Amino acid sequence: MTDRHLTLMAVHAHPDDEATGTGGVLARYAAEGIRTVLVTCTDGGCGDGPGGVKPGDPGHDPAAVAFMRREELEASCDILKVSHLEMLDYADSGMMGWPTNDAPGSFWQTPVEEGAARLAELMRRYQPDVVVTYDENGFYGHPDHIQANRITMAALAMTETTQKVYWTTAPRSMMQRFGETMREFGSDWQEPDPAEAAALAEIGLPDEEITTWVDTSAYGPQKFDALAAHASQGENIFFLKMGQKRFTELMGVETFVRVQDTTGAAVPENDLFAGLS
């Protein structure tokens, strides 16, 4: 692509998030010689424990879950050939409305300026040309995803060196196909009530509003294996039920909306590094 050393930084909330929305671009750009930096903001301690024990249930140990998920994250990064993993290690805040939202030390309770300052330090160290994170609603309203967006945008304002900034998104056409696939593979799939259906309909963007469509189908097996590395969360990772082939068919293009740019590259584009040299 270029002889100049380029860097992609992806800022995610939890272990396993890196594989779902950006596993393809992390694998693709690593294969193309781009330096890839993953920043994971929380320890994932509100994930499932051994045997599927849920947060708040007897036997759920957040510290043990966090340790287990760190090992899984490192395995995922090995599969995706991520150059550098950085952990901010804030406590997982859990889903919106959980008591863990209010826990001291949780990511949701962390002042934005504090998290942004730590992230800005990493941006100054790695000098990313491209930064990827979630949109302002964290894609689906998860507090840690929302907070990741907030600290990322604040850190970018502090550093003012990154040339292209993207938010992950999904085309509404794909969300429709995803619902059909859920029904196909999820025997216990229940149709959402009208309120839930309306909320789901707001996830992602109309196809014509998406600026960037990156073909990552050649890296579908890596993306699937990276997601499978998070075995402790397998009960919650619906995509693993599809098998590698069907997963790649559905998830072989990763989509983004470009929110900052200094290159003037035309959109729609098919490369996060379009306009960079």
Side-chain angles (χ1 to χ4, degrees):
M1 178 184 294
T2 177
D3 291 333
R4 192 172 77 79
H5 193 70
L6 295 172
T7 299
L8 167 66
M9 176 180 283
V11 182
H12 281 290
H14 312 98
D16 77 30
D17 290 334
E18 80 291 338
T20 306
T22 59
V25 293
L26 287 169
R28 170 180 162 167
Y29 290 118
E32 293 181 1
I34 305 295
R35 181 171 63 169
T36 53
V37 180
L38 171 63
V39 180
T40 302
C41 296
T42 80
D43 60 10
C46 285
D48 287 358
V53 61
K54 302 298 181 185
D57 288 350
H60 186 278
D61 180 352
V65 171
F67 179 82
M68 174 176 62
R69 297 194 71 183
R70 171 63 181 256
E71 292 185 326
E72 292 174 341
L73 178 60
E74 291 173 349
S76 172
C77 287
D78 286 344
I79 293 165
L80 297 173
K81 308 302 182 187
V82 169
S83 307
H84 301 276
L85 170 64
E86 298 285 351
M87 298 282 291
L88 299 186
D89 268 333
Y90 290 108
D92 189 340
S93 310
M95 299 296 287
M96 190 67 82
W98 286 14
T100 44
N101 294 175
D102 301 321
S106 72
F107 191 37
W108 188 236
Q109 290 298 314
T110 298
V112 169
E113 57 271 20
E114 175 191 318
R118 294 182 61 197
L119 182 56
E121 181 180 343
L122 295 175
M123 289 180 176
R124 294 186 186 101
R125 182 189 310 170
Y126 291 109
Q127 295 289 304
D129 301 275
V130 175
V131 169
V132 176
T133 193
Y134 315 99
D135 63 22
E136 293 165 310
N137 190 46
F139 188 61
Y140 68 98
H142 194 296
D144 287 331
H145 292 216
I146 294 170
Q147 188 76 329
N149 166 275
R150 291 173 177 172
I151 74 162
T152 300
M153 301 312 291
L156 287 163
M158 292 176 183
T159 54
E160 297 185 329
T161 56
T162 299
Q163 298 183 72
K164 302 182 83 176
V165 180
Y166 294 88
W167 293 346
T168 56
T169 191
R172 295 270 166 82
S173 59
M174 194 206 80
M175 294 303 297
Q176 182 178 352
R177 292 197 304 275
F178 177 69
E180 294 166 355
T181 306
M182 288 279 283
R183 287 186 285 274
E184 178 183 349
F185 285 90
S187 57
D188 58 350
W189 168 254
Q190 300 294 321
E191 289 293 336
D193 63 33
E196 291 174 330
L200 289 172
E202 293 301 313
I203 292 177
L205 289 172
D207 291 31
E208 63 272 15
E209 293 182 19
I210 292 173
T211 63
T212 311
W213 306 68
V214 183
D215 182 357
T216 60
S217 55
Y219 305 94
Q222 271 178 271
K223 181 173 176 174
F224 182 88
D225 290 348
L227 201 56
H230 297 279
S232 69
Q233 309 306 304
E235 181 181 331
N236 299 321
I237 303 176
F238 164 79
F239 301 107
L240 297 176
K241 297 179 182 179
M242 302 179 189
Q244 192 180 91
K245 182 175 183 295
R246 189 63 181 277
F247 173 86
T248 300
E249 290 172 356
L250 185 67
M251 305 288 287
V253 175
E254 292 182 349
T255 51
F256 307 85
V257 58
R258 195 172 81 190
V259 295
Q260 290 184 20
D261 173 64
T262 65
T263 69
V267 292
E269 59 187 358
N270 60 12
D271 181 3
L272 296 178
F273 287 85
L276 292 169
S277 60

